[in-house]
Amino acid sequence: MSAASAVPAVSAQFRAAYDAVLADWPAAVTSRGVPTPYGLTHVNSCGPLGAPPLVLLPGGGATSTVWGAVVAAGAGRTHRVHAVDLMGEPGLSVPAEARAIRTPRDLAGWLDAVLDGLDGPGAPGPVTLAGHSYGAWIAAHYATRHPRRLARLVLLDPTQVFAGLRPGYVLHALPMLARPTPARIRSFLRWETGGADLDPAWLRLRDETARFPTVRPVTGPRPGPAGLDGFPLHILFAEHARCHDSARAATTARAALPGARVETLPGVSHHALPLLAAEAVAQSLAA
């Protein structure tokens, strides 16, 4: 990758909004690009060096900065946190021009290379891997392919893993996805979260994602539950999620994975979960 291609093509407004959210994290953050065959992956790390590694994957459009409240709630004290900007999604990761991520297998290869580059040369020991929404779908696919690299897996209201998307959710999201604008993003978030009081700085960053180059997210089959059975697994569903029927998804998860710990977090929606249920999330990561 050339030096020119290593610079994210983001606007000054996006970068300023991104840095403003990151500045509110409660611990000193080390930000760097991790080379992978699929591009330069931006990772924000904090927490004690030598602590157990915790890798966090955000939902689509959220960027790695969404994890600040979870870090503040304790995750940054118990683990060395590595929050990742997903390749091709809004953030500071830079996709390679010659090699795009197109399949779940590609995503697993990309994430494997990211783990190899954490905190210096050589792959770290087994990590706790956690993802929210689309990030949870990625984490689940990775776990089925590389279970030996994981100490624990935490799936936060995973989409397209134990349940499909509700048609009403898709209809509400379509205007934002087809032609994103700050007004459409905010309208969708107000609808999905029931008007929850979300972090204003994070909302400003979400506004700026409307100007980010649109890349079609990787899609594919649901990860097979048989591949999620080899390590401690904690699954948390958002009670008021509009993307799927959380109660039904939790029932499906318990039936498919009887050894997993499956919980429903009361009073929180899908998109508000990392911001407004941070203490419960941090406890699940530390368990």
Side-chain angles (χ1 to χ4, degrees), residues 52-189:
L54 167 62
V55 177
L56 299 174
L57 305 181
T63 81
S64 61
T65 65
V66 76
W67 297 108
V70 173
V71 171
R77 293 190 296 272
T78 59
H79 289 80
R80 178 65 175 169
V81 174
H82 303 284
V84 179
D85 279 344
L86 301 179
M87 193 64 73
E89 289 283 326
L92 301 183
S93 292
V94 186
E97 294 180 4
R99 191 171 184 183
I101 295 177
R102 302 186 187 280
T103 67
R105 184 178 295 277
D106 292 339
L107 280 170
W110 161 73
L111 185 53
D112 211 38
V114 172
L115 297 189
D116 285 342
L118 295 181
D119 277 342
V127 306
T128 294
L129 177 62
H132 171 236
S133 188
Y134 177 51
W137 182 82
I138 296 172
H141 270 288
Y142 181 82
T144 64
R145 290 169 168 81
H146 302 283
R148 293 183 180 180
R149 298 208 68 170
L150 302 185
R152 295 180 66 240
L153 178 66
V154 181
L155 303 179
L156 305 173
D157 214 37
T159 49
Q160 305 284 44
V161 177
F162 301 104
L165 297 177
R166 281 174 163 163
Y169 175 86
V170 175
L171 285 173
H172 274 87
L174 274 177
M176 175 187 69
L177 297 175
R179 190 169 65 83
T181 66
R184 288 181 174 189
I185 291 171
R186 293 228 182 184
S187 176
F188 175 76
L189 289 173

Side-chain angles (χ1 to χ4, degrees), residues 24-72:
D24 283 340
W25 280 35
V29 177
T30 300
S31 301
R32 59 202 171 92
V34 176
T36 78
Y38 298 94
L40 195 67
T41 300
H42 190 83
V43 180
N44 293 309
S45 303
C46 67
L49 288 170
L54 167 62
V55 177
L56 299 174
L57 305 181
T63 81
S64 61
T65 65
V66 76
W67 297 108
V70 173
V71 171

Side-chain angles (χ1 to χ4, degrees), residues 176-274:
M176 175 187 69
L177 297 175
R179 190 169 65 83
T181 66
R184 288 181 174 189
I185 291 171
R186 293 228 182 184
S187 176
F188 175 76
L189 289 173
R190 278 195 301 272
W191 170 77
E192 201 285 325
T193 65
D197 186 16
L198 304 179
D199 175 32
W202 182 79
L203 283 173
R204 284 193 294 274
L205 176 57
R206 288 292 276 127
D207 289 346
E208 293 301 326
T209 65
R211 302 173 181 87
F212 206 86
T214 301
V215 177
R216 184 178 179 181
V218 174
T219 58
R222 297 182 191 178
L228 300 176
D229 229 358
F231 36 77
L233 172 59
H234 194 175
I235 308 166
L236 291 87
F237 291 98
E239 179 188 25
H240 293 162
R242 292 180 180 256
C243 56
H244 50 216
D245 184 325
S246 296
R248 183 175 297 177
T251 298
T252 300
R254 291 188 182 98
L257 297 162
R261 181 180 173 190
V262 180
E263 296 181 89
T264 299
L265 298 179
V268 67
S269 76
H270 177 77
H271 289 279
L273 191 152

